[in-house]
């Protein structure tokens, strides 16, 4: 089956630093999604990417849909304490019933 | 209410109990999903309902029984669970058959099986 490799698994950074994480897949997707999950809560959608090569920003977040359709990255600029959480990438093949494949997550810790 | 809601948020049950998880979406979507999230594992898709019909059952044990009475409501009926079924159960919804349909998640039900 499809697998998503997400890296790094965890990051410890200082407030104000930039962060970069990425996902790679063994097969192509036609949508890439990035979610953030706080403890005890459901994932919240951050950015959705629908076209190969697309670069999309949402405030301090920027994500790109790789040109090969097998990878995506998420950057966070000037991190703040509320950025702490687990970030998941997810690939989607749209069809009759959309089936998301999730990465294993990147746990982000921000220190003051 | 907006978005996707789930009740209860926390549930503790014995292995012989029967309970149900409820999900409601207020987004006008036509597909709903149940996921299981265990520690240190990727989210696992359990069930998919599209236009109120079950279209996916990823080899989930029969002690989990979904029900989708209409496009806004989804239930997960639980009976004779095992301790390894303890996890965060997440509901999601989306609008399928559209370009770039995206899944929106509820806050989850934290289930503990004793």
């Amino acid at each position: 089956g499809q697998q998503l490799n997400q890296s790094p698994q965890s990051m410890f950074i200082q407030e104000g630093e930039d962060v970069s994480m990425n996902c790679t897949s063994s097969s192509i997707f036609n949508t890439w999604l990035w979610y953030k999950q706080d403890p005890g809560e459901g994932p919240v959608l951050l950015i959705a990417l629908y076209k190969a090569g697309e670069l999309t920003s949402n405030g301090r977040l920027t994500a790109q849909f790789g040109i090969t359709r097998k990878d995506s990255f998420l950057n966070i600029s000037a991190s703040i304490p509320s950025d702490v959480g687990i970030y998941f990438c997810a690939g989607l093949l749209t069809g009759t019933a959309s089936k998301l494949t999730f990465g294993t997550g990147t746990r982000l810790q921000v220190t003051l | 209410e907006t978005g996707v809601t789930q009740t209860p948020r926390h549930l503790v049950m014995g292995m012989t109990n029967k309970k149900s998880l409820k999900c409601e979406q207020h987004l006008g979507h036509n597909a709903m999903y149940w996921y299981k999230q265990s520690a240190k594992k990727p989210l696992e898709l359990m069930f998919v309902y599209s236009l109120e019909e079950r279209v996916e059952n990823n080899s989930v044990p029969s002690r989990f029984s979904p029900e989708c009475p209409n496009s806004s409501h989804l239930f997960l009926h639980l009976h004779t669970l095992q301790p390894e079924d303890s996890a965060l159960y997440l509901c999601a919804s989306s609008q399928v058959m559209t370009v770039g349909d995206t899944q929106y998640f509820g806050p989850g039900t934290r289930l503990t099986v004793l």
Side-chain angles (χ1 to χ4, degrees), chain B residues 6-76:
Chain B
Q6 288 186 243
T7 55
R9 293 295 311 275
H10 301 273
L11 179 62
V12 179
M13 59 187 289
M15 289 191 284
T16 57
N17 291 157
K18 288 185 181 181
K19 297 285 184 183
S20 295
L21 310 185
K22 179 183 176 183
C23 176
E24 186 172 358
Q25 60 96 2
H26 309 270
L27 299 169
H29 288 164
N30 58 15
M32 298 186 77
Y33 310 78
W34 279 117
Y35 287 87
K36 177 184 178 183
Q37 187 175 35
S38 304
K40 299 185 179 179
K41 284 187 179 180
L43 275 81
E44 301 171 57
L45 180 64
M46 299 175 71
F47 300 104
V48 179
Y49 277 83
S50 179
L51 302 172
E52 298 165 42
E53 288 190 15
R54 190 194 303 182
V55 295
E56 183 78 19
N57 175 359
N58 279 350
S59 302
V60 179
S62 59
R63 56 186 184 268
F64 295 91
S65 174
E67 178 189 0
C68 187
N70 55 61
S71 60
S72 299
H73 293 86
L74 184 65
F75 295 89
L76 187 63

